[in-house]
Amino acid sequence: MNLLRDLRTRAESEANATPALRGLFERAQRVTEQFQDRQLSTERAFDEIQKLFAEQAKAQEERAKLGMDTPTFGVYWLLEEARLATAKELAVEINTLFERFPNYGRS
């Protein structure tokens, strides 16, 4: 349970700065709820937590390898999950548009 709490806390704090981790935070929330509702056994919850930690590490490693800033990587990660062959190029292009129109979130 402490691992789950740690993962949730870390994912929640990093989700605001790293959009790519929002999905991770949501899945950590789901695992917590299912475990508390006894829909997941301790062993299954532990397996799910390990997968989430591995995915978080993979995301951080991938971002470092690609040398992308946080917003660009967030877009890339989502496109990569959708298995788009041109995810890297599209992420750079989409982030360029976000930078060009900085008030997109408020309009």
Side-chain angles (χ1 to χ4, degrees):
M1 195 61 177
N2 289 337
L3 282 174
L4 190 54
R5 189 176 315 121
D6 179 48
L7 177 64
R8 278 185 32 216
T9 302
R10 194 173 350 160
E12 185 176 359
S13 67
E14 292 180 19
N16 293 329
T18 310
L21 297 180
R22 282 198 183 119
L24 180 74
F25 170 68
E26 291 166 2
R27 288 198 310 275
Q29 284 285 93
R30 242 187 338 266
V31 169
T32 301
E33 290 166 6
Q34 290 175 340
F35 180 73
Q36 290 173 343
D37 293 342
R38 299 186 191 274
Q39 295 173 353
L40 281 181
S41 67
T42 304
E43 183 178 335
R44 178 77 176 145
F46 184 71
D47 289 343
E48 291 297 318
I49 293 167
Q50 286 182 317
K51 287 178 190 175
L52 293 171
F53 269 114
E55 186 174 343
Q56 181 185 27
K58 178 184 174 192
Q60 291 171 341
E61 186 178 303
E62 182 98 6
R63 180 173 176 246
K65 182 177 119 184
L66 293 171
M68 291 181 171
D69 63 11
T70 301
T72 304
F73 182 74
V75 173
Y76 166 78
W77 193 253
L78 294 173
L79 295 174
E80 187 66 25
E81 283 182 342
R83 305 212 192 292
L84 286 167
T86 58
K88 185 176 178 182
E89 295 80 14
L90 282 172
V92 171
E93 189 174 330
I94 289 169
N95 194 58
T96 300
L97 291 172
F98 285 154
E99 289 173 350
R100 188 170 160 208
F101 301 102
N103 294 325
Y104 71 91
R106 289 180 243 141
S107 312

